[in-house]
């Protein structure tokens, strides 16, 4: 789901790259985003960006780093609901006095900024709306992964999704991308044990489907893997 856009002469951050691919941003919107991104805030790993049930004071745009929506059960077990990557928006609500439906925690060092307000630029509002639709699509994909896919399908489907999402931010290198999470985190995202995840990753390597090296993932043949696990990329706008 890519559109033809105006490319500025100066390099943009990964976050602005993503929003620029979701809607054809006009020069005013691009300038407003660049201004917002020039005032970043840093969140250290394992620190919370939002806390379930607490007030949301305003939206945040992730400029760099990885975060995740997480639910923690009474006995300490946790379920990662989805990953949040550069260019994703959190806390962008339109009703009065919103509270966060989940906790959002930084998995790496995360840089955020306060994005331009909704209503300030029409083309930016379009990018925000498409981003929200994609966020919903990714959450629905997670439900399908956990509800109906076997372990190998879950891993392959998620790795393909991450490649697609990072491509929007120009954070892939061909068929590879940085994957700064542990197998334990991946297990908590996929409803598996870390031992089972490790076993499935070794099997995927032997099959030539996935190669997870230190902090990076390579998908040798994404089209073949997509056919194998039955994945279709998220589509939220008419082509």
């Amino acid at each position: 789901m890519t559109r033809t856009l105006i490319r500025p002469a100066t390099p943009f951050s990964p976050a602005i790259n993503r929003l620029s691919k979701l809607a054809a941003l006009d020069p005013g919107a691009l300038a407003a985003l660049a201004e917002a991104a020039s005032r970043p805030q840093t969140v250290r790993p394992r620190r919370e960006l939002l806390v379930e049930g607490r007030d949301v004071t305003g939206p945040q745009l992730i400029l760099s780093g990885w975060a995740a929506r997480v639910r923690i059960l009474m006995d300490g077990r946790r379920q990662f609901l989805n990953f949040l990557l550069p260019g994703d928006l959190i806390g962008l609500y339109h009703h009065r006095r919103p509270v966060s439906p989940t906790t959002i925690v930084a998995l790496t060092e995360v840089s955020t900024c306060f994005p331009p307000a909704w209503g300030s630029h029409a083309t930016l509002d379009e990018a925000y709306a498409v981003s929200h639709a994609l966020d919903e699509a990714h959450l629905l994909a997670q439900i399908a992964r956990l509800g109906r896919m076997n372990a190998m399908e879950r891993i392959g489907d998620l790795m393909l999704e991450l490649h697609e999402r990072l491509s929007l931010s120009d954070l892939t290198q061909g068929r590879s991308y940085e994957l700064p999470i542990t197998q334990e985190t991946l297990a908590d995202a996929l409803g598996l044990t870390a031992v089972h995840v490790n076993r499935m990753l070794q099997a995927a390597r032997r099959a030539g489907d996935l190669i997870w090296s230190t902090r990076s993932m390579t998908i040798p043949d994404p089209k073949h893997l997509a056919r194998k696990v039955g994945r279709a990329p998220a589509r939220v706008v008419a082509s």
Side-chain angles (χ1 to χ4, degrees):
M1 188 207 63
T2 303
R3 299 183 179 182
T4 302
L5 307 164
I6 300 171
R7 284 292 183 179
T10 55
F12 272 171
S13 72
I16 302 178
N17 286 338
R18 176 180 184 268
L19 291 174
S20 296
K21 290 181 181 178
L22 301 185
L25 300 181
D26 59 47
L30 291 170
L33 275 173
E35 173 65 21
S38 71
R39 298 187 298 275
Q41 303 182 67
T42 300
V43 181
R44 290 180 297 191
R46 295 181 294 279
R47 293 298 179 90
E48 294 158 338
L49 287 82
L50 292 176
V51 178
E52 183 176 352
R54 293 188 185 176
D55 292 344
V56 176
T57 57
Q60 300 176 63
L61 172 64
I62 297 180
L63 299 173
S64 64
W66 285 45
R69 287 189 177 90
V70 61
R71 278 280 174 89
I72 301 176
L73 305 181
M74 291 182 63
D75 61 3
R77 288 176 297 162
R78 60 185 186 175
Q79 176 67 55
F80 287 108
L81 304 174
N82 72 334
F83 294 110
L84 297 164
L85 310 174
D88 284 336
L89 291 144
I90 59 176
L92 184 62
Y93 300 107
H94 304 300
H95 55 284
R96 295 181 57 204
R97 301 185 61 186
V99 298
S100 180
T102 62
T103 293
I104 295 179
V105 63
L107 300 177
T108 67
E109 183 173 278
V110 171
S111 177
T112 69
C113 73
F114 296 112
W118 180 276
S120 59
H121 299 275
T123 58
L124 196 52
D125 288 351
E126 174 70 8
Y128 289 169
V130 175
S131 181
H132 177 77
L134 282 172
D135 197 30
E136 180 179 353
H138 297 145
L139 286 170
L140 293 173
Q142 174 73 340
I143 293 171
R145 271 194 292 267
L146 296 179
R148 287 298 179 186
M149 292 185 180
N150 63 37
M152 186 64 78
E153 290 168 339
R154 293 182 196 185
I155 292 172
D157 188 71
L158 179 57
M159 294 304 104
L160 287 165
E161 177 188 294
L162 292 173
H163 186 271
E164 294 160 11
R165 293 174 62 188
L166 290 167
S167 294
L168 286 174
S169 303
D170 295 335
L171 287 174
T172 56
Q173 301 80 42
R175 297 173 179 179
S176 301
Y177 56 91
E178 183 179 356
L179 188 62
I181 59 175
T182 64
Q183 292 187 15
E184 287 77 12
T185 297
L186 185 58
D188 287 338
L190 296 178
L192 304 169
T193 66
V195 171
H196 200 176
V197 166
N198 181 268
R199 187 180 302 121
M200 292 298 97
L201 287 170
Q202 291 183 35
R205 176 186 285 270
R206 290 193 297 270
D209 292 331
L210 297 170
I211 303 172
W212 190 349
S213 56
T214 305
R215 294 180 64 86
S216 71
M217 172 62 68
T218 299
I219 307 176
D221 190 341
K223 291 183 179 180
H224 171 75
L225 181 58
R227 289 193 299 269
K228 193 171 184 177
V229 302
R231 176 169 181 77
R235 290 188 59 201
V236 297
V237 296
S239 50

